[in-house]
């Protein structure tokens, strides 16, 4: 069986442009791929293979273009289009070249550098940030996520000379370390280095005193430097999916902190003064940690945090309907989908595995008193979803299934509407298509 993708080479002037494309994609699609690489408009492109001009409507397979083929491109660069784009970049002070299949930063970008405040070249295949990055003297936001950048391929000397830089996104790259010179970016307000291979943060991160949003999720970090306490402007911190066992006490100096995510770590406790000193904290994610309910209740300031959390919950309820019965701990998510149980049957941990029903400490039986607010017909009437997945439920109370006939009628009406609007193409799939369950 032939591979679905093929590698071909397009010859244009003195360049040899490697392209990976689906064997079944059209010649017209290939021309579109070549636009950002050659600055030649599709209308002006002529692709020649074995002495014949390729037909736009035919696929590469139909055109007998196979893996390793070499195609000649004849056309004139659309300098007017390039000029118009450069004028637009200078006028808006913004360059957005995300997901353009770039391997290097184009030369035309460098020509605009002194005027640009936002540069987005994320989700390409860029392998180098050269020293000349320092010519972006007015740059405020730099997005480099989703490239092939390594420690050696970034000129940190050039990057840290951008004294006005406020946003730096380097997520989804191949970074192993962050250099001490990172601390020179003293205007930085947002730093995203998630999904790399970092094992530590530099002590100099404490020099980023304007930092508000720090995201280092999905790395290999086992400790946070005490200098983080100097970042007193922090509002949102994501430390999830690392190897942390504790946070330094200095972390509590972040008096403006509102959201903290330390899920998927080896955390057993929090800094003693966290709730007391971080008096704006209202969103806390502790999933897949070893922090228990009893541990939380012992911290000074817990009651004030709980009050803020409830106030935030009320605010969200006013924006999106959330039944009051499900308020308890809906935005403080704790670990262990299978709660420990004492000898008297009481749970010592919260259960996070079902968000809507996490007020309930036992998930093996749905109590009948909740059924009037959760019966199927009533739930459809208020437009809410009930998710009882990932539990140990063996049965539902009889009251829960009251109104099944009304629900089924509304389900079928909704399904017909989906068919009418071509959300679902075939009426034959109606039966049970949005009801993946056994009969009540």
């Amino acid at each position: 069986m032939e591979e679905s993708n093929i590698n071909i080479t397009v010859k244009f002037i003195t360049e040899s442009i490697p392209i990976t494309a689906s064997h079944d994609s059209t010649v017209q699609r290939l021309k579109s791929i070549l636009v950002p690489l050659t600055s030649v408009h599709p209308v002006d492109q002529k692709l020649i293979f074995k002495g014949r001009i390729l037909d736009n409507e035919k696929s590469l397979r139909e055109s007998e273009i196979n893996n390793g083929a070499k195609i000649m491109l004849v056309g004139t660069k659309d300098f007017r289009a390039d000029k118009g784009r450069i004028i637009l970049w200078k006028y808006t002070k913004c360059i957005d070249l995300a997901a353009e299949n770039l391997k290097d930063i184009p030369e035309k970008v460098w020509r605009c550098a002194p005027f640009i405040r936002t540069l987005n070249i994320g989700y390409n295949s860029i392998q180098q940030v050269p020293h000349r990055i320092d010519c972006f003297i007015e740059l405020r936001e730099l997005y480099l996520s989703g490239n092939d950048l390594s420690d050696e391929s970034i000129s940190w000397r050039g990057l840290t000379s951008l004294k006005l830089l406020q946003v730096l996104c380097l997520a989804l790259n191949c970074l192993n370390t962050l250099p001490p010179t990172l601390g020179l970016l003293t205007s930085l307000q947002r730093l995203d280095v998630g999904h790399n291979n970092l094992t530590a943060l530099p002590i100099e991160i404490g020099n980023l005193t304007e930092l508000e949003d720090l995201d280092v999720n999905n790395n290999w970090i086992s400790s946070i430097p005490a200098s983080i306490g100097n970042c007193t402007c922090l509002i949102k911190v994501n430390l999830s999916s690392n190897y942390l066992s504790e946070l330094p006490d200095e972390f509590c100096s972040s008096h403006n902190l509102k959201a903290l995510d330390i899920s998927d770590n080896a955390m057993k406790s929090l800094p003693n003064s966290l709730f007391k000193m971080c008096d704006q904290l209202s969103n806390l994610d502790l999933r897949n940690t070893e922090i228990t309910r009893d541990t939380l209740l012992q911290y000074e300031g817990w009651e004030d945090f709980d009050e803020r959390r409830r106030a935030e919950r009320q605010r969200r309820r006013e924006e999106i309907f959330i039944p009051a019965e499900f308020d308890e701990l809906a935005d403080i998510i704790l670990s262990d989908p299978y709660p420990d149980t004492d000898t008297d049957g009481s749970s010592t941990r919260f259960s996070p595995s079902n968000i809507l029903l996490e007020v309930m400490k036992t998930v093996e039986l749905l109590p009948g008193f909740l059924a009037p607010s959760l019966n199927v017909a009533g739930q459809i009437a208020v437009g809410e979803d009930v998710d009882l997945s990932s539990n140990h439920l063996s049965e539902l109370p009889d009251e829960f299934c009251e109104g099944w006939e009304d629900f089924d009628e509304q389900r079928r009406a909704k399904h017909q509407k989906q068919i009418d609007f071509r959300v679902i193409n075939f009426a034959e799939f109606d039966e049970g298509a949005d009801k993946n369950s056994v009969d009540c």
Side-chain angles (χ1 to χ4, degrees):
M1 183 176 177
E2 296 184 55
E3 295 181 355
S4 58
N5 288 339
I6 59 172
N7 297 316
I8 59 178
T9 302
V10 177
K11 298 281 189 178
F12 178 56
I13 310 178
T14 59
E15 299 179 77
S16 294
I17 305 171
I19 299 289
T20 300
S22 170
H23 207 178
D24 295 314
S25 62
T26 63
V27 172
Q28 183 65 41
R29 172 60 182 158
L30 176 59
K31 288 184 176 182
S32 298
I33 295 174
L34 288 169
V35 172
L37 303 175
T38 62
S39 297
V40 180
H41 193 277
V43 174
D44 299 324
Q45 292 183 29
K46 289 184 180 180
L47 293 176
I48 301 174
F49 180 63
K50 292 185 176 180
R52 56 188 172 84
I53 298 176
L54 299 180
D55 185 343
N56 287 341
E57 303 304 320
K58 288 187 176 181
S59 69
L60 300 183
R61 191 189 303 274
E62 292 170 335
S63 302
E64 300 179 355
I65 296 173
N66 298 311
N67 196 49
K70 295 182 180 180
I71 302 173
M72 179 178 292
L73 169 60
V74 177
T76 304
K77 288 190 176 184
D78 189 354
F79 292 105
R80 292 173 300 173
D82 261 0
K83 184 177 180 180
R85 175 179 275 195
I86 290 173
I87 292 173
L88 180 64
W89 287 346
K90 291 181 178 180
Y91 178 75
T92 61
K93 303 184 186 299
C94 174
I95 295 177
D96 186 356
L97 291 175
E100 294 273 2
N101 296 315
L102 301 177
K103 292 188 176 180
D104 298 292
I105 302 175
E107 186 60 36
K108 57 191 174 186
V109 170
W110 297 111
R111 295 201 298 269
C112 300
F115 309 96
I116 302 304
R117 296 193 175 191
T118 300
L119 174 60
N120 184 0
I121 48 176
Y123 303 97
N124 285 288
S125 300
I126 292 174
Q127 300 177 356
Q128 185 178 22
V129 178
H131 179 70
R132 63 192 295 201
I133 193 72
D134 63 359
C135 65
F136 286 87
I137 55 177
E138 295 292 328
L139 197 64
R140 266 68 165 182
E141 300 179 15
L142 178 57
Y143 300 92
L144 293 166
S145 297
N147 282 289
D148 297 324
L149 298 173
S150 62
D151 298 346
E152 298 78 16
S153 64
I154 298 178
S155 171
W156 286 100
R157 181 181 176 185
L159 192 58
T160 54
S161 68
L162 305 177
K163 301 303 182 183
L164 299 179
L165 194 65
Q166 297 174 348
V167 176
L168 176 59
C169 293
L170 286 164
L172 293 163
N173 279 289
C174 307
L175 302 179
N176 295 314
T177 58
L178 293 176
T181 51
L182 179 69
L184 297 175
L185 295 172
T186 53
S187 296
L188 210 60
Q189 297 177 8
R190 178 187 172 196
L191 175 62
D192 184 356
V193 289
H195 292 271
N196 279 285
N197 301 312
L198 302 176
T199 56
L201 294 177
I203 296 175
E204 290 77 8
I205 197 170
N207 296 339
L208 308 182
T209 55
E210 301 296 320
L211 194 63
E212 297 179 357
D213 186 345
L214 174 63
D215 192 340
V216 294
N217 77 89
N218 283 276
N219 280 285
W220 301 81
I221 298 172
S222 58
S223 64
I224 300 296
S227 60
I228 195 73
N230 297 330
C231 302
T232 56
C233 293
L234 281 172
I235 296 175
K236 180 181 177 182
V237 177
N238 186 352
L239 304 173
S240 64
S241 299
N242 279 285
Y243 289 86
L244 297 171
S245 58
E246 62 180 359
L247 294 178
D249 291 335
E250 291 81 359
F251 186 82
C252 300
S253 300
S254 304
H255 303 297
N256 296 316
L257 188 66
K258 294 182 178 180
L260 173 61
D261 186 348
I262 50 176
S263 61
D264 295 294
N265 279 286
M267 301 285 296
K268 295 182 179 179
S269 62
L270 297 170
N272 291 329
S273 302
L274 180 68
F275 295 126
K276 180 181 178 181
M277 297 183 65
C278 298
D279 55 9
Q280 295 190 44
L281 182 64
S282 60
N283 193 321
L284 181 62
D285 192 339
L286 301 173
R287 283 174 295 182
N288 296 325
T289 66
E290 298 184 35
I291 298 176
T292 65
R293 177 188 183 188
D294 291 339
T295 303
L296 285 177
L297 295 176
Q298 293 173 3
Y299 288 110
E300 184 180 2
W302 163 262
E303 295 80 4
D304 293 335
F305 164 76
D306 194 41
E307 184 177 342
R308 291 193 302 273
R309 180 191 64 78
R310 290 175 181 273
E312 174 66 15
R313 181 69 172 169
Q314 180 60 38
R315 183 187 66 80
R316 290 189 300 189
R317 185 185 294 121
E318 292 172 357
E319 296 177 357
I320 303 175
F321 174 77
I322 302 174
E325 295 90 337
F326 303 143
D327 173 68
E328 190 66 26
L329 298 173
D331 55 352
I332 171 172
I333 307 172
L334 289 143
S335 64
D336 199 350
Y338 308 105
D340 294 342
T341 304
D342 294 334
T343 54
D344 62 356
S346 62
S347 173
T348 58
R349 295 188 184 178
F350 299 124
S351 169
S353 62
N354 98 44
I355 302 304
L356 286 176
L357 301 178
E358 61 188 352
V359 61
M360 297 158 47
K361 304 304 187 291
T362 58
V363 292
E364 295 181 358
L365 177 65
L366 187 68
F369 71 84
L370 279 180
S373 62
L374 290 177
N375 70 76
V376 175
Q379 198 64 32
I380 293 297
V382 297
E384 286 290 311
D385 292 328
V386 175
D387 187 351
L388 301 177
S389 60
S390 302
N391 277 303
H392 299 284
L393 292 170
S394 58
E395 60 179 346
L396 296 176
D398 292 339
E399 298 90 339
F400 191 86
C401 291
E402 290 178 2
W404 171 261
E405 295 78 8
D406 293 336
F407 160 74
D408 194 45
E409 182 180 346
Q410 293 184 50
R411 181 188 68 81
R412 290 177 179 276
K414 176 183 176 183
H415 194 73
Q416 185 59 50
K417 184 176 180 180
Q418 290 177 323
I419 294 173
D420 293 341
F421 283 91
R422 300 181 182 276
V423 176
I424 297 176
N425 293 323
F426 304 106
E428 301 92 273
F429 295 156
D430 172 66
E431 190 60 37
D434 52 356
K435 174 178 65 66
N436 297 320
S437 63
V438 297
D439 292 336
C440 284

